[in-house]
Amino acid sequence: MKIARLLLIAACTLQANGLIAEPGQAVEPLVFAPLPMETPETVASQWKPALNYLGKALGAPLRIEYSDSYATILEKFKTGKLDLAFLGPLPYVTLKEHFPAAVPVVHFNEKDGRASYTCAIVVLDERKLAAKDLLGKKIALTQPLSTCGYLSTDGLLRRTGSNLEKNRYRYLDKHDAVALAVARGDYDAGGLKTAIGQKYAHLGLKIVAESSPMPAFSLIANGARLTPQRIAAIRAALVGADAAQRTAWGENIAHGAEPAADKDYDVVRKLRARGEIPEKGNF
Amino acid sequence: MRAALPTARWTVPILFAGFCLSLGVVVYLLHQSWQYKQERFLDQHASVVDTAYRASVDSYALATEILVAESVRRPEVIATFARGVDGDAAARGQLYRLLARTYDDLVRHGIRQLHFHTATGHSYLRFHALDKFDDPLFDVRPSLLIANTEKRNVFGFEPGRIASGFRYVFPLFDGERHLGSVETSVTFRSIRETMARIAPEREYAFVLKRDSVEGVVFKDTRNLYVPSTLNPDYFLEDPELKLPDSPPPPTPVMRALDAALATDTRVATGMAAGESFTLPVALQGEYWAVSLVSVKDVAERRVAYVISYMKAPYLGDLREEFQRSLLFAPLVLIALFLLGHRLWRTQQQQRREADRLRAITDTIADGLYVLDANGRVMLVNTAFTDILGYRADEVIGKIGHDFFHAHNREGKVLPLERCPIYSCVRAGRPFEGEEIFRTLTGAYLDVEVAGRPILDNHGRPTGGSVTAFRDISARKEAESALRAAKEAAEAANVAKSRFLSMMSHEIRTPMNGVIGMAQLLLMPELEEAERLEYVRTILNSGQTLLTLLNDILDLAKIEAGRIELEDGVVDPEQILRETAALFAGAATEKGLAIVAEWQGEPRRYRGDAHRLRQMLSNLVGNAIKFTSRGKVRLSARETGCADDRCTLDFFVSDTGVGISADKIDRLFQPFSQVDATTTREFGGTGLGLSIVRNLAQLMGGTAGVESVIGHGSHFWFSVVLTPLAADADSRKRPRGANSLARTLAADALHGRILVVEDNRTNRLVIGALLGKLGLLVDIAEDGQQGVERITEAGERPMPDLILMDVQMPVLDGLEATACIRQWEHEHGRPRLPIVALTADAYAEDRERCLAAGMDDYLAKPVDAGDLQKVLAKWLAD
């Protein structure tokens, strides 16, 4: 009797946490939005094993919902079409301002094992440009809501007495696109995540300015669709994944995760307070 | 009807079995036809897919070649790549910048990759994955190994680290220096789009063999591949479109078709064997053709399949056609069987008609043949073969004219065009006439021919003909014989007229002597010498008449085959001598010498001496008659013996007028002397030589003559006789020439003779002769009187012998004899000798008389000696 009572309590607890579907109830997949900044094959290769792991841990499959931009992801979040999203700091801050139910779950560690990253300005090394030379130049940026886009790049330029408005800038959306646009010589400089800039260093990119650490990219839960228990279960599963389990995971998420909290984004909120971010480029 | 029952009983089962068998065959053939058409259609379908696939791959090969030639093999690109290979770190980015826009163009044209490799097979720059480089590729990319070791272009499909693609690899050189290689690659999406432009009505999918994926792709892209529904040994690449250039995922219909085919063993078997094939699929009432085209990689391994899906209502049409055929096949078969049965019955009827016609034609006694328009024989009847001797198979199909149309008996060949029968019937006219045909043995045959042209339904001659012919050889022969008989009869008439004329002459001559001398005897005051001369002349004339009569009778008997030869002793030497003596007087009167000679030892034979003497007398009489001077020679000899039979030749030669050669042939014909003038000059009946030849032939020999005009004739005859031993005696002595005198000089007889004779002269003659013999004579003028003289004699004395004539009025001699014998029998009277004395001089007349009860026989004119001997015989008894 004692054992039976314990099993009943455990079952009720799991069901309340949303981890066990009620009998006869169809298990709907959790909808996940990766970054809009990287190519789909990159997204697919990075996330598929991790989502499989997570789906197995939760007892529910996960489906990838692609989006072209952060704005789209935020809109889907607000309209309840997404359960989870992989977002950088600025998009989260922006989302939180409009959708308070957004809940940070975990930060994915960078390659160096830290749960933060930096943004950078890259130039083509052979053009011999320094950060201070960036006046009246063509600068490629990621999306307006990208942390390493307008927000970070403008801040880094201000350190040298310049800013984006003194240059010509254009949003190219994806970090890779910014890096390759600079690598091709189409732009004099580009603002992007430091790690992305380093990835294409073999094509002649050089980092000429780097920001302070930002909260690493995070998995954000839709508190309006997921219970706190399920969010906690997701957090526990990801934080608890060991190295062996993360072997097949993508480069952005293979280095472990740490629990995230909304206060981790205060640095971003402070940076954003400097002004509004234009939605379009100036040329 | 009873005979038809067994046939009817078996016909239905046989027809039913035939129907079932035929139906099975038809169903099988229909199914085969359906399958064949379907296979043809599917093969065609597969061929289109294969062609579209190849054209697509080749089009990218051509585009890539142009790209490499114009963009990659530029000096600055090659130089940059060379610096990169040499270790210049900046070269990679510079190479990227040189070709970045080119790559953009490639992507817009569906070419996904632009990838440089070092000569050692390491990735140098991936335009499609710029963050990945320096990884070794030879182990997983045979195309690179080949291109960089064999230094040649390599085109073909190949799985890759990230995704599979259709590769176009070109080795790159800086002058003579091999730098490495560059490749482009297109995904199946590009291939598919090109194929869709070539064959737009189809859907396409691409599956990769499991072992060509596993162990090749990067670990982080392995999850792009999922097992195919069609065949779990094959993977679909990125069905969830995680990659931007992936082809569209399978549509629900394609997945359903894959699911439907997954259970088809042909799929697993065919794909395991790497075959290209097309299968029909029925899905929700629609028909699809699913083609699987095998794709080889650059190492010639079958590693993938291009799958095409196309609606194929034609397959449904084929199935419906097959089903309709199955439905209609029994009906058609039934109709065919009914038609066949009717045709069979019609043929049977035609065959029976033909058999009947054949039977009719075969029963026709006339020969019959049918010719086609070319004169070839199509049909002959039995009479044809019987009459002409040819078998049917010897002439069927041959030109009949060449075989049996002779037209003449001289062997002259008449060409077919001039054949009167053929040319006539071929022109549509009937032919009737007499012709000459040739039999198998080459003999000529007289035939009566009736030919009729064969007309078509419009009455026009077809050129063919039916000809009947009849053997008229017998009729011809009969006609010929009739003609000959007529001629013979006419000749016989002439001969008879001449004979009658001659007979008249021959009879009248001696008759003139008889009558004339008798008239002289009636004259008074005759001297004894004159009376004797007259009487002698009468006697000679009578004997001449008798000779004539005997000749005629002999010839008649010979020709009737009724002459009987005596079986007596023949002494040829004696016969020669006596004959010569007989004619010595006549010869002397003409101043001729007559000699006789037996050329050999005296010898006797068994035979008819009387006839031999007659034959010799005929020849000698002729010789004397036709010889005016010189001599007549009689001779004979034995020419040979064998088996107790000896041949004797008799000769009569003269030195007379001779006979011309052209007349010798008719010399031995009866009633034909050499000519009429001969008769008038020399007299005679013309029967003698004919009698000689006929008698000689009766005796096993013949007769003939050799003659030269003016030098005489040499007549001969031969006979075959049986020789007698030297001591054999003669039972019959030949009669002497002067028997009458000796008879009359003999001793007188005694007795009473009843002469039953209706002719007064004969009564006088016989009465006088009997009186001279010293006999008493009673006379009865017919048979009735004769019978009454015996049966009603009363007081009159009974005769001792009756001389009975045969042909008499009231009661003839035979009946009278019968009555007398009857009377004697009834009254117990002794048998009275009755001797026939009749002018019925044939042997059968003698037999008839003896049969009627007479005891002996004498022919008129009676010879006094014979009369005396017969009377002496019976009166002595």
Side-chain angles (χ1 to χ4, degrees), chain B residues 658-667 705 707-709:
Chain B
I659 307 163
S660 63
D662 61 325
K663 294 174 180 174
I664 283 179
D665 289 342
R666 342 188 236 129
L667 205 57
V705 60
S707 181
V708 179
I709 289 290

Side-chain angles (χ1 to χ4, degrees), chain A residues 77 92 95-96 98-104 220-226 231:
Chain A
F77 226 107
Y92 167 72
L95 174 64
K96 190 68 175 179
H98 297 89
F99 188 66
V103 178
I220 307 301
N222 187 339
R225 288 173 57 88
L226 300 178
I231 293 171

Side-chain angles (χ1 to χ4, degrees), chain B residues 616-633:
Chain B
L616 274 175
S617 296
N618 276 332
L619 295 181
V620 173
N622 283 342
I624 292 172
K625 189 186 298 178
F626 294 104
T627 303
S628 56
R629 64 177 179 271
K631 66 179 179 183
V632 174
R633 174 186 171 84

